[in-house]
Each structure stands twice: as structure tokens, then as C-alpha cells.
Amino acid sequence: ITYTSQRNQPLCTSPPALVATSTSGLSVSLASTTAGVCTVSGTTLTLVSAGNCTVSANQAGNGSFAAATTVSNSFAVAAAAQTITFTAPGNQTLGTAPPALVASSTSGLTVSFTSATLGVCTVSGTTLTLVAVGTCTINASQAGNGSYAAATAVANSFSVAAAPLGAELMAGGGFETAPTVAGQFAQGWRGVNGIPATRTSTESHAGTAAAVLTNPGPNGNGSGLVQNSVDDGGQSSIIGLYTGKTVVLTFWAKGTPSETGNVNFSLRYLDAVGNILNPVINTSFQSQINATTWTKITLNGPAIPANISAMFLEMTLATGPIGLTDVGADANGNRIFHDFGQARILIDDVSVRVVP
């Protein structure tokens, strides 16, 4: 038998047909003795995995020729090379949601991502999380398998800038946008104690609507509005973004509280699980407003503590007698009624911003 040896072959290619002849002119049979690496059908060689492929050539003879001595040839099958294409995510800003990481390999195998700068950014799957200001470096790798060698890792670096000061931490402070979540009366705002505030389109400081706080009847509970900046307002978590910075709360108000009731706003900081942190700010402002003109209310808040995830703002019209109320009888037995007034307060253009 004369059997032409194959050269070393890369996996994932189609090698040339096997060639073997005998001096008898009888057909030579070819078979793989390393089926885990290569197989043979006729003269067709198929590469299965990386390793050493051995193919034997046999001729059993006939009535005129004795069986030929078997001839074997071996050659190496190398794992196929692969490369990675990794799309750079571009520079990012702390406090925003960066895009998903995108990379592909020429093998079609899944690419894995890891962060080389855990203090600045972390990775889970294709999700990138920004942790701090700095340079984030992400490595894309593919370890290969039985058919492909490991790819050369590809790294992309980008900057993570500080969250912008002056950022708005509340949502829908103008009350023009209709509710999008059950229980809300306007975008991002909920009622309190089962008696929500309402909106009006007949009066507003700016735009087309304002929130209305009212007492529903004599000795009834006052209404209110609240917003958790993350849960209700849909804002991103602010953990670690503004520690030590201050906020300024502004809104416009107009109206008349009941004679004995207060109008309050409460500004609170919340940790990652919703616990209220110090400081808590509770302020009454009924003495600052009137029924005929809009008044701007401003509060310069204290420094933001560490590890807060959200801000919570509540505005309420406190419980108190309203309207005509029987307060007793005079010396002659005549009933005495006192008019405590009808409490009705308009709130508009609420804003809580980080001080630049």
C-alpha cells in the first residue's frame, strides 16, 4: 500500500480526500482508529475535535494477492482560532443606567464579561453597574471548547463622570401628567390615608393643573400627596451619588387652611430598604400663603447622609374642624355655631434638586 499522509489540519475546515493505492490495483479501505478526533467514510475525512488523528489503510487481498501490510498515518488536528468583537459602551455618567454590554465571537460561542476595576464598575452577565467616578475597564473573553481555542481577550475602557449637580430628584411636580400607576392621581404622586388629593385644571401656577388639598367635611381628615422619588417617581437610586451635598425644595402654594388645621410638608431620606433616616424635616407653611396669590415656598435642606437610595416628600392638610360647627350654647340656650372655614390649598411646581 502507498498511502499519502495528510498534513496537520485546523479544526472546522474540510480536509482533502484521502488517497491510498495498492500495487495489486485492488481498492484500499481507510478507517479511523481515533474516532473521537476524526472519522472516515470512503475517502472522506471529517474532523471532530482537536487532537491526533490516525487513519489506517488496509487491503485484505484476494485469490491472487495476499493481504497487504496495513499502513497508518497520523497528523495533528488543531482547535480553530476565534476572535472577539466588543462594542465599547462609551463614556457614562454616574447615576444613569448604562446600556447592556455587547460582544460576539467568530465561533458563535457566548462571550463573558468581567470588570477589571471593581471600585468603579461591576458586571453581572451583560449588565453593567456604575459604582464610582473614575475609569471603568471591562474585559471580554471566550474560553473556547473542543472545537475552538480560547480567544484573545478584548478590553474596553471608558470614563465614569460624576452625577450632575442640580439634578431633579422628584417627578411630575407640575401635575399636568395624568396617573400611570394605580393609586396615583398624577404622574409620580399618591394620596395619603386613603383620601388622596385631586387635580384641578381651572387653577395652576404654571401649566394646566395643580394638586388640590381639601378637608372633605366637618371634622374630616385632611387630604395629602406623597412621592417616593424611586418607587413613585421612577427616578434612579441615588445611593452614594450626592453624599454630603444639600438639596433645595421649592414649590408654589395658594389657598386657605381651616382655622385650626395646619398645612405641612415633610422631606425625608430613605435607605436602600425604605427606612427613614435622619434628618427628617417637618415644616408648616399655612402662615406663608394666602387665598388670592401664589407664594413660592423654599427650603434649603441639610446635607444628604450616606447610603440614601431615595427621597420622600409628603404634603398634608392636617385634621381640624371646618365649616359651621356647633360649639355649644349661650346663656339663653341658643346654639352657637362657629365657621372654621373651608380648607382648600393648591400645590404646584414641586421640585427637589441637588444644590450645584
Side-chain angles (χ1 to χ4, degrees), residues 95-269:
T96 62
L101 298 172
V102 177
S104 60
S105 66
T106 52
S107 66
L109 298 175
T110 301
V111 176
S112 298
F113 300 100
T114 57
S115 170
T117 50
L118 295 176
V120 178
C121 56
T122 61
V123 176
S124 176
T126 60
T127 300
L128 173 66
T129 300
L130 306 178
V131 177
V133 173
T135 298
C136 171
T137 299
I138 302 297
N139 293 321
S141 60
Q142 214 307 306
N145 59 10
S147 300
Y148 288 91
T152 300
V154 177
N156 270 321
S157 297
F158 54 90
S159 65
V160 179
L165 295 177
E168 177 61 60
L169 302 181
M170 290 292 161
F175 304 103
E176 279 74 40
T177 306
T180 58
V181 175
Q184 291 182 350
F185 76 96
Q187 176 68 37
W189 296 94
R190 296 179 181 270
V192 298
N193 300 325
I195 306 174
T198 59
R199 295 192 303 157
T200 176
S201 59
T202 59
E203 295 179 85
S204 64
H205 171 258
T208 59
V212 185
L213 308 182
T214 61
N215 271 10
N219 300 312
N221 290 327
S223 64
L225 58 145
V226 299
Q227 183 184 139
N228 177 317
S229 62
V230 173
D231 293 342
D232 297 324
Q235 306 281 34
S236 299
S237 174
I238 55 177
I239 290 178
L241 300 185
Y242 304 112
T243 300
K245 302 296 182 181
T246 59
V247 297
V248 57
L249 163 67
T250 60
F251 63 92
W252 293 78
K254 181 174 77 168
T256 305
S258 66
E259 184 175 304
T260 59
N262 294 331
V263 188
N264 265 325
F265 67 80
S266 298
L267 181 66
R268 309 168 192 170
Y269 298 124

Side-chain angles (χ1 to χ4, degrees), residues 182-351:
Q184 291 182 350
F185 76 96
Q187 176 68 37
W189 296 94
R190 296 179 181 270
V192 298
N193 300 325
I195 306 174
T198 59
R199 295 192 303 157
T200 176
S201 59
T202 59
E203 295 179 85
S204 64
H205 171 258
T208 59
V212 185
L213 308 182
T214 61
N215 271 10
N219 300 312
N221 290 327
S223 64
L225 58 145
V226 299
Q227 183 184 139
N228 177 317
S229 62
V230 173
D231 293 342
D232 297 324
Q235 306 281 34
S236 299
S237 174
I238 55 177
I239 290 178
L241 300 185
Y242 304 112
T243 300
K245 302 296 182 181
T246 59
V247 297
V248 57
L249 163 67
T250 60
F251 63 92
W252 293 78
K254 181 174 77 168
T256 305
S258 66
E259 184 175 304
T260 59
N262 294 331
V263 188
N264 265 325
F265 67 80
S266 298
L267 181 66
R268 309 168 192 170
Y269 298 124
L270 305 178
D271 66 13
V273 294
N275 296 316
I276 298 174
L277 305 175
N278 288 321
V280 175
I281 303 162
N282 295 300
T283 303
S284 299
F285 60 93
Q286 67 274 2
S287 63
Q288 301 179 55
I289 62 176
N290 62 78
T292 58
T293 59
W294 286 93
T295 301
K296 185 177 183 180
I297 309 296
T298 300
L299 170 76
N300 292 313
I304 298 174
N307 299 320
I308 72 163
S309 65
M311 305 195 74
F312 186 87
L313 178 62
E314 177 178 7
M315 295 190 174
T316 54
L317 184 65
T319 302
I322 63 171
L324 292 175
T325 300
D326 187 342
V327 294
D330 62 15
N332 299 320
N334 298 314
R335 306 308 298 173
I336 300 174
F337 292 88
H338 182 80
D339 187 356
F340 286 97
Q342 175 62 53
R344 183 174 183 269
I345 306 296
L346 302 183
I347 305 293
D348 205 0
D349 298 330
V350 181
S351 174

Side-chain angles (χ1 to χ4, degrees), residues 35-127:
V37 177
C38 58
T39 60
V40 176
S41 176
T43 60
T44 300
L45 174 66
T46 301
L47 306 180
V48 177
S49 66
N52 287 316
C53 171
T54 300
V55 176
S56 63
N58 301 277
Q59 214 310 304
N62 60 10
S64 301
F65 289 91
T69 300
T70 298
V71 178
S72 294
N73 280 322
S74 297
F75 58 91
V77 178
Q82 59 170 328
T83 58
I84 292 173
T85 300
F86 178 15
T87 304
N91 294 335
Q92 303 293 321
T93 300
L94 201 62
T96 62
L101 298 172
V102 177
S104 60
S105 66
T106 52
S107 66
L109 298 175
T110 301
V111 176
S112 298
F113 300 100
T114 57
S115 170
T117 50
L118 295 176
V120 178
C121 56
T122 61
V123 176
S124 176
T126 60
T127 300

